[in-house]
Amino acid sequence: MKASMRACLTDTLGKRLFLLLWATLVVSHLLGFWLVRPSEPGPGHHGDGRMHMVPGWFLPNLPPVMGRPGGPPAMMAPHHGNDGFHEPPRMWLDYLARVLVMGVAAWLGSRWLTAPMRRLGAASRELQTALQQGGDLPVLDECTGPAEVRQTARVFNDMARGLQDQFEQRSLMMASVSHDLRTPLTRLRMRLETLLPDPVAERCVQDVQDINALIGSVLDVLNEERNQEAFQQVDVTAMVQAMADDAQELGQAVTASGDAATVRLQPVAFKRVLSNLISNALRYGRQADIHVIRQHGHSGKLRIIIDDQGPGIPADQQAAVFKPFVRLDTSRGRDAGGVGLGLYIARELVHRQGGEITLMNRPEGGLRAEIVLPLR
Amino acid sequence: MIACLLVEDDIEIRTLLEGYLSGYGMTVTAVSTAQAMREALKAQSFDVMLLDLMLPDGHGLDICRQIRGASVMPIIMLTAQGDPVSRVIGLELGADDYLGKPFEPRELVARIHAVLRRARGVPGRSDKGPEPVAHFQGWVFDRVKRRLTSPDRVMVDLSSAEFRLLSVLVEHPGQVLSRDRLVDMTRMPGALVSDRSVDLTVSRLRHKLRDAGEGGGLIRTMRGEGYLFATQVQA
């Protein structure tokens, strides 16, 4: 008995909707009647036996079975024969009042009933950020509100916790994979050192380095998703210059030039981008020339261009190369190098800085990679 | 002979490294736990320590911090993790260098030598080692993060050569440093450092520091003698 009574008293959307409709009906009847009432000859004088609103004792809890609920008492209009001339305005007034009340109720009601949906939307947006940056999970209230909303809140909270567990497990897995693969690789590398110089051993060393690079690349991709690096004002030209100088010190053909510019970005992430593009340029084009160009105007942009002397990329593949593990040289041979994640990572990171990256073939030959960043 | 303490929990890597390094004039004492490391440090002094981050009875980063509190012995971290965060933390906690596994064995040898040279070649080095962050005239030079920040809070990147040169200048404010000495102190395996390259690096540094240079300014040319870092440096 008690359980079913409690069930009757639970807050559900259906009950809220009923309550809303009922309240609308009552208020619209009241208002309509109040507006029309003064011109009525008196209570209960419509002796036609039809159901109508009686002012003295109210029966608002019974929806009127005759006619339209809350509709105008059009039934009564023809009753006042010679007064028919005056009825239409009053009838329309009544109608207008009811329409107004219903309109207001509908607007308020929709805000009231959809509030949980808005909260769900906001929580979902926050969830993405929380998972990526390791912050606190958004929690929806499971104890207040109608039954359906509480149910949804429970489902959402469980899902959020489940996702967070997954993310954390993935981090732990990454750390252990790194360690567990790299330890035997270290042993291999050290043992190979005792066999050098030997052409077979040298090729084995190269393989060890390739495997290590692959592990590094995959971990990098997984790491980027948890990128929590702070944004800072960075002298982009100095960054580009420093990278070019370091490359030259290692005997690589990298040059840099351009305008001075400061941009707000994540320094380590952006350096990754430049490093990926430069190493691509060197691998496929033997040299990399970097230019930093400041575009003036009130919505100023900074263009960073990296040109190489390689064969370029066929136009129909320029979009595809940004996908993970896509490489033009499908043989994955050692000479081609890399595993196909450089451009994918580069684009993710450029987007995070609020910029765009495109590839194009230069008319004079070679590929141009262009990064455009907003100057704030 | 260089006395080297190797702290590494994988037995095969220990054996292989012991064998390899002894071919380069090093006597290697190899231990597998933090406890054994402490006992070894009590028993004798070492020229350099190679420290693995993942040990069964302690994390390399904590160990590094403890050791650094008590000695200036150079520490090179070895790790299979390889993520940039651990690297920076390790350097902040006092490690002198960081090598990811698998490493090129020759590179390990080169870095051991470089770290020993740095430890020896800097006279007047305090017991705690050079401060990780130096301030001069509104500039902030973070040695660990290899980052220079301008007075108006803009991050200015330094190339490897510029970093090495600025490190030396910041450690010897007010002293005249000859070109030869600068060449010697900024030498690095794999890089060609000469008088001319030192001049070029000085000019680049001046540009980045927005320094007038020459007679006045931060990095002064002392005709016939060398360069002088003309400013006070605070930690």
Side-chain angles (χ1 to χ4, degrees), chain A residues 340-359:
Chain A
L341 285 173
L343 284 175
Y344 170 72
I345 294 176
R347 189 174 62 170
E348 293 292 301
L349 293 178
V350 167
H351 283 172
R352 194 162 302 153
Q353 316 308 312
E356 281 299 329
I357 178 170
T358 42
L359 297 172

Side-chain angles (χ1 to χ4, degrees), chain A residues 112-160:
Chain A
W112 182 48
L113 292 175
T114 59
M117 280 196 263
R118 285 196 298 279
R119 282 198 295 273
L120 182 62
S124 301
R125 267 191 300 275
E126 271 176 48
L127 179 61
Q128 165 137 18
T129 323
L131 286 175
Q132 278 182 357
Q133 298 177 0
D136 287 332
L137 286 178
V139 177
L140 289 178
D141 194 337
E142 293 176 23
C143 304
T144 54
E148 296 88 343
V149 170
R150 279 181 278 131
Q151 167 83 341
T152 307
R154 253 193 309 274
V155 168
F156 177 85
N157 290 339
D158 287 344
M159 177 193 75

